[in-house]
Amino acid sequence: MKYTIDKKENYTVITIDEKKLDTTIAPDLKSEFVKLNAEGINNLILDLTNVKYTDSSGLSSILIANRLCNSSNGLLILTGLQDHVMKLITISKLESVLNILPTVEEGIDRIFLHEIERDLTNKED
């Protein structure tokens, strides 16, 4: 699987450099998500700009990342979704479950907002 990881202080951007996110790639991606979560990374931006096609196994890996981020009070943001990928998410009725934004920059802004909201909530408790 071809991808890049850009780790920052409050988030990590994973850019998939493949045209297909399918059964040949999904297991490696799931493993990467689990490894990053074990390292304490809980805010992920998954840049899918290059991905033209995904199947149910690709969608499953995305849902695992979403669950891992949510369970550690973090956020998974999907960016750069192509038509086919968005269509599968819509057909699966997951657009209300997943955080989808057009660009990585908007994802970064959303994560910083999430961090501020979480800090404020923790101070009120």
Side-chain angles (χ1 to χ4, degrees), residues 61-123:
S61 65
I62 291 170
L63 290 172
I64 286 172
N66 193 55
R67 181 174 47 82
L68 289 169
C69 289
N70 286 340
S71 68
S72 58
N73 291 321
L75 208 53
L76 171 71
I77 308 277
L78 304 179
T79 66
L81 274 73
Q82 302 300 317
D83 289 342
H84 179 274
V85 178
M86 189 62 207
K87 193 175 292 185
L88 181 62
I89 288 171
T90 303
I91 289 169
S92 304
K93 304 262 188 245
L94 293 170
E95 68 274 11
S96 62
V97 174
L98 299 170
N99 297 295
I100 301 168
L101 292 170
T103 66
V104 170
E105 291 75 21
E106 288 173 274
I108 293 168
D109 290 345
R110 178 64 185 99
I111 284 174
F112 278 111
L113 180 61
H114 175 76
E115 292 287 307
I116 291 168
E117 289 170 346
R118 190 177 69 193
D119 289 346
L120 289 173
T121 302
N122 289 341
K123 286 180 184 175

